[in-house]
Amino acid sequence: MNQSVLIQTLLILLAGIAFQSCGPGNDQGSLSPAAIDDRVLVSASNFPGDWLNHGLDYAETRYSPLSQINSENVDRLGLAWSLELGTKRGIEATPIVVDGILYASGTWSDVFAIDARDGTMLWKWDAEVPREYADKSCCDVVNRGVAVYRGKVFVGTLDGRIAAIDAGTGETVWENLTVDPEDFHTITGAPRVVRGKVIIGNGGAEFGVRGYVSAYNAETGEMEWRTYTVPGDPSLPFESEAMEMAAETWNGEWWKYGGGGTAWDSFAYDPKLNLLYVGTGNGSPWNRHIRSPGGGDNLFLSSILALNPDNGEYVWHYQTTPGDAWDFTATQHMILADLELNGELRQVIMQAPKNGFFFVLDRKTGEFLSGEPYVEVTWATGIDGETGRPIEAPGADYKYAPMTMSPAVWGGHNWHPMSYNPDTGLVYIPATLRTATYSQDENFVRRTDGPYNFGAKAIGEAPSTGHLLAWDPVLQKEAWRVPHAIDWNGGTMTTAGNLVFQGTGDARFIAFNAATGERLWEMFAGTGIIATPVTYLVDGIQYVTILAGWGGAYGLTLSPGGEAANYQQVGRVYTFKLDGSAPLPEFAIMDRQIPEVIEQQRPSPQLALQGAEIYNEYCQKCHGGNAVSLGVLPDLRYSAIVPTEAFHATVLEGLLLPLGMPRYDDRLDSQQVKLIQAFLLSRIFELKEE
Ligand code: CA
């Protein structure tokens, strides 16, 4: 053992002892799920060995003060253990870690508890979500995590229940339905617990729903309040003054279309101000001329809402995209921080919503402080410093002519959480760049049988790219960036060890130097990663855990032929520590062959394009954007059925119904199926010619 290794080892031992003995009157490791109360959640940074909130702390920083693993020694990181989750579908959860136990959710909203020491599955809770809900979800049957409070684990299920599970036994304690099962509300986001209430939103704005947030008593499961994010039918009494005020900004008969504004992912909480922050989503339908003819900002679409968590009452709002028409949600992750701006310490809230601007607001009042593009933005020319409103670019209203713009529906950044490191002063954003051509859908009718309710067409343009972006929120400018192989990558976590961790869609798990972006360590995970890592201590040893598993097929474009695309996508938990030496699991190669096609089957580009539009409406949400599905569900470019007559029977007559492929004869006719087939054939020819 050379001297520097000896010193590092001693430091690690000392760090372990320090954490074991220097808790706030609390031995590290003695904190049990039953002991997690409001006091503990408010002071999560006093418990650096655990990961107590979805975003680590209520401020959602995803900044861990742990530094045993750091930029000097991260090259020694090795696998401690891995565990297969028994699914090939998407995994998006950030685990909660308490006293060496990981609590996480997987596909179909199932929840599991895993011993962080060795990967033993302690219990698994089957959410028993009816499988037909796959058709109600915009973006695969995923779930982004649980909350833990007073001995219970809380999860929102795809079919709209909020459930409390006993943290020790995995038994259901209570359940409550938070949605009308007749409509298209689904839950994929993680609940938060604030002052004894379980806070949960839902999604569904792609299918014509009205958004809301609800709070349930953590002990009993009773609903305590519900706050709508957009106004309902004005002939009925408004639920609140805020809804009355919001209704002033709508026109026509918006309530018949649902309106949207779903709060499907992000929350943050400031315990001193006692404000709960809620990110709201896009309009339903996307096209504002259908949703609200005659204009209007359409509050509170694409907004940050500050609510009183005790009763759900409105306090302030800031709308990131007035009159949204482009699926520019503000459901992206929000971070609370205290920043020195112009010589003054400001309490801010930061967000990088889909619309491409990085926003810094005063979190007490909602006052706009600054906003600059963090990716290329062409839909707006900037933000009016006086009003804090984005200035729409000429032509961005695609009613009269199609407009190609960025960002597009996938966002400059989507749900994958960003993190904030107070040591470097940087925010680490999983950024993506893809343009789309938007146009009016002249044939729109509201549908309640499954297809997207867009009222617009948005066709993605190549190429699309993704990168890890380090953003300085004070200077409002880029510090550095690292390009990734593809556009769709995982959330970020940062540490006091001067590290940023991120998984990538092409199956890498990577550690970067937080100050410089230098790539310090990586491993190949076999499976695409889009979830977000966590770090914690067990018996004084620092671990890093990431859930791997490709999912959320909506809108994805992957570089074809990438290494990861050759492997069977299998949901796994990977846990690492310094000098970990567990063997990597065996990665199964997918047995795929490009089907036989003859030259006469080559479709014209025009037919393929028409087919792409129908494919995007009905098929993309399961089989992937641009027909690249990466093994979650069949990749139709490798389907032997596509070039044959049997394709029609499969789509229209339910030939593969026993395997889970629905029949579409109630929604599609044979001419439309022929066009879908033309699109898929064009993709097969492209693959052959690569
Ligand atoms: Ca959306």
Side-chain angles (χ1 to χ4, degrees):
M1 187 180 281
N2 69 35
Q3 203 178 7
S4 75
V5 171
L6 182 66
I7 289 167
Q8 277 178 9
T9 308
L10 281 171
L11 285 174
I12 289 163
L13 287 171
L14 286 170
I17 291 164
F19 278 119
Q20 292 202 336
S21 58
C22 297
N26 178 311
D27 282 356
Q28 182 58 42
S30 70
L31 191 66
S32 71
I36 298 181
D37 56 14
D38 300 311
R39 185 189 60 89
V40 169
L41 288 181
V42 164
S43 60
S45 57
N46 290 335
F47 302 90
D50 297 301
W51 190 283
L52 296 174
N53 290 293
H54 185 64
L56 180 63
D57 41 35
Y58 273 138
E60 303 270 333
T61 60
R62 292 176 189 259
Y63 165 78
S64 168
L66 299 180
S67 59
Q68 266 182 37
I69 301 168
N70 56 55
S71 52
E72 298 299 310
N73 63 17
V74 70
D75 58 346
R76 285 171 38 213
L77 207 58
L79 192 64
W81 53 265
S82 68
L83 174 69
E84 287 203 6
L85 291 173
T87 180
K88 291 197 289 180
R89 298 190 74 152
I91 301 287
E92 297 185 351
T94 301
I96 300 286
V97 189
V98 187
D99 194 20
I101 297 176
L102 295 157
Y103 300 92
S105 54
T107 45
W108 299 110
S109 326
D110 295 345
V111 178
F112 32 85
I114 298 168
D115 189 326
R117 289 165 188 83
D118 57 11
T120 305
M121 180 89 74
L122 301 173
W123 52 255
K124 180 175 174 182
W125 182 81
D126 184 344
E128 297 175 356
V129 171
R131 287 339 191 214
E132 56 263 32
Y133 263 82
D135 217 24
K136 284 198 175 191
S137 174
C138 76
C139 317
D140 203 5
V141 294
V142 295
N143 190 283
R144 284 181 291 277
V146 301
V148 177
Y149 180 78
R150 290 190 183 274
K152 297 185 189 69
V153 180
F154 302 94
V155 67
T157 66
L158 191 68
D159 54 341
R161 289 166 288 142
I162 183 83
I165 304 161
D166 184 296
T169 66
E171 301 289 325
T172 306
V173 181
W174 57 254
E175 279 194 354
N176 206 337
L177 189 64
T178 77
V179 302
D180 177 349
E182 295 301 307
D183 69 24
F184 274 71
H185 283 109
T186 51
I187 301 178
T188 55
R192 311 293 200 277
V193 180
V194 171
R195 291 161 70 92
K197 296 174 183 59
V198 187
I199 311 291
I200 191 75
N202 46 57
E206 267 58 62
F207 304 103
V209 304
R210 182 184 180 199
Y212 56 84
V213 187
S214 317
Y216 292 83
N217 183 299
E219 208 51 46
T220 66
E222 278 172 67
M223 189 167 88
E224 300 210 341
W225 53 258
R226 173 163 294 172
T227 295
Y228 287 91
T229 56
V230 295
D233 182 349
S235 72
L236 304 171
F238 288 110
E239 290 88 356
S240 64
E241 281 178 24
M243 282 297 98
E244 196 171 350
M245 179 254 279
E248 298 286 313
T249 67
W250 291 72
N251 280 299
E253 298 186 311
W254 70 86
W255 62 95
K256 293 187 176 167
Y257 297 100
T262 49
W264 54 265
D265 199 57
S266 66
F267 299 97
Y269 174 58
D270 184 321
K272 290 210 176 85
L273 298 172
N274 196 32
L275 287 179
L276 172 71
Y277 304 98
V278 180
T280 71
N282 56 276
S284 185
W286 290 356
N287 188 326
R288 64 189 180 202
H289 295 286
I290 297 169
R291 187 178 71 229
S292 179
D297 285 352
N298 295 180
L299 296 173
F300 301 104
L301 297 181
S302 307
S303 300
I304 296 174
L305 278 176
L307 305 179
N308 177 342
D310 298 330
N311 53 23
E313 276 177 18
Y314 166 94
V315 179
W316 60 255
H317 77 275
Y318 175 81
Q319 191 174 39
T320 62
T321 307
D324 168 49
W326 311 275
D327 189 19
F328 283 165
T329 68
T331 50
Q332 281 54 51
H333 179 222
M334 301 170 288
I335 297 179
L336 314 184
D338 294 344
L339 300 182
E340 196 177 312
L341 302 175
N342 302 321
E344 198 185 338
L345 198 65
R346 301 292 299 247
Q347 297 176 290
V348 309
I349 182 167
M350 305 185 280
Q351 192 189 46
K354 273 192 190 176
N355 76 10
F357 287 101
F358 189 95
F359 289 96
V360 178
L361 312 176
D362 183 310
R363 71 172 177 269
K364 191 175 176 189
T365 62
E367 181 196 348
F368 170 82
L369 298 175
S370 65
E372 292 293 335
Y374 65 91
V375 290
E376 188 192 12
V377 171
T378 61
W379 74 275
T381 56
I383 297 179
D384 183 317
E386 285 295 303
T387 62
R389 284 175 70 93
I391 304 155
E392 227 176 274
D397 183 348
Y398 48 79
K399 183 178 180 190
Y400 307 101
M403 161 104 172
T404 303
M405 62 164 71
S406 64
V409 295
W410 307 274
H413 162 219
N414 208 291
W415 62 266
H416 320 85
M418 58 186 195
S419 56
Y420 169 65
N421 189 321
D423 306 329
T424 61
L426 299 176
V427 176
Y428 304 99
I429 307 170
T432 180
L433 194 61
R434 187 176 180 200
T435 58
T437 301
Y438 287 78
S439 61
Q440 179 95 351
D441 179 359
E442 299 297 345
N443 303 316
F444 176 77
V445 277
R446 188 187 174 200
R447 298 276 293 272
T448 54
D449 59 343
Y452 295 130
N453 277 256
F454 292 163
K457 293 172 185 172
I459 306 293
E461 308 284 341
S464 57
T465 58
H467 56 280
L468 171 60
L469 174 64
W471 186 260
D472 185 324
V474 174
L475 301 175
Q476 280 281 20
K477 63 174 224 192
E478 178 172 334
W480 50 259
R481 75 167 69 190
V482 180
H484 288 318
I486 65 171
D487 56 0
W488 201 251
N489 300 293
T492 70
M493 182 265 286
T494 184
T495 76
N498 188 32
L499 293 171
V500 181
F501 287 90
Q502 187 186 25
T504 64
D506 70 328
R508 265 78 186 167
F509 186 49
I510 312 172
F512 300 92
N513 181 312
T516 65
E518 187 189 348
R519 208 174 175 108
L520 299 174
W521 171 88
E522 74 173 70
M523 64 90 68
F524 181 68
T527 293
I529 298 175
I530 51 173
T532 312
V534 297
T535 188
Y536 51 90
L537 295 174
V538 184
D539 303 330
I541 297 169
Q542 186 181 356
Y543 291 82
V544 176
T545 292
I546 181 76
L547 274 57
W550 189 258
Y554 166 62
L556 298 177
T557 46
L558 300 179
S559 331
E563 187 186 9
N566 299 328
Y567 291 94
Q568 192 63 260
Q569 301 296 296
V570 176
R572 288 194 190 88
V573 185
Y574 288 107
T575 291
F576 303 90
K577 62 178 180 179
L578 290 178
D579 305 320
S581 57
L584 281 178
E586 278 187 27
F587 302 133
I589 301 282
M590 273 195 284
D591 182 22
R592 304 198 297 192
Q593 270 152 22
I594 302 173
E596 289 292 318
V597 279
I598 52 171
E599 194 53 33
Q600 287 93 315
Q601 287 180 297
R602 186 190 290 273
S604 72
Q606 192 193 1
L607 283 185
L609 194 65
Q610 286 176 33
E613 290 184 15
I614 306 169
Y615 174 90
N616 288 342
E617 192 173 348
Y618 290 93
C619 320
Q620 164 182 278
K621 67 184 177 188
C622 291
H623 290 287
N626 213 16
V628 180
S629 108
L630 254 192
V632 178
L633 286 166
D635 189 311
L636 300 177
R637 299 170 305 158
Y638 297 93
S639 163
I641 293 174
V642 166
T644 69
E645 273 303 305
F647 183 71
H648 285 252
T650 303
V651 179
L652 293 177
E653 293 162 30
L655 197 63
L656 296 181
L657 199 57
L659 299 178
M661 168 66 195
R663 59 188 292 170
Y664 285 87
D665 50 339
D666 55 339
R667 290 164 268 182
L668 294 172
D669 59 30
S670 69
Q671 182 55 28
Q672 289 171 303
V673 175
K674 215 168 178 165
L675 289 169
I676 296 172
Q677 190 177 28
F679 164 64
L680 293 172
L681 283 167
S682 76
R683 297 289 291 135
I684 291 169
F685 276 101
E686 279 172 34
L687 200 61
K688 272 172 75 83
E689 283 151 21
E690 256 163 27

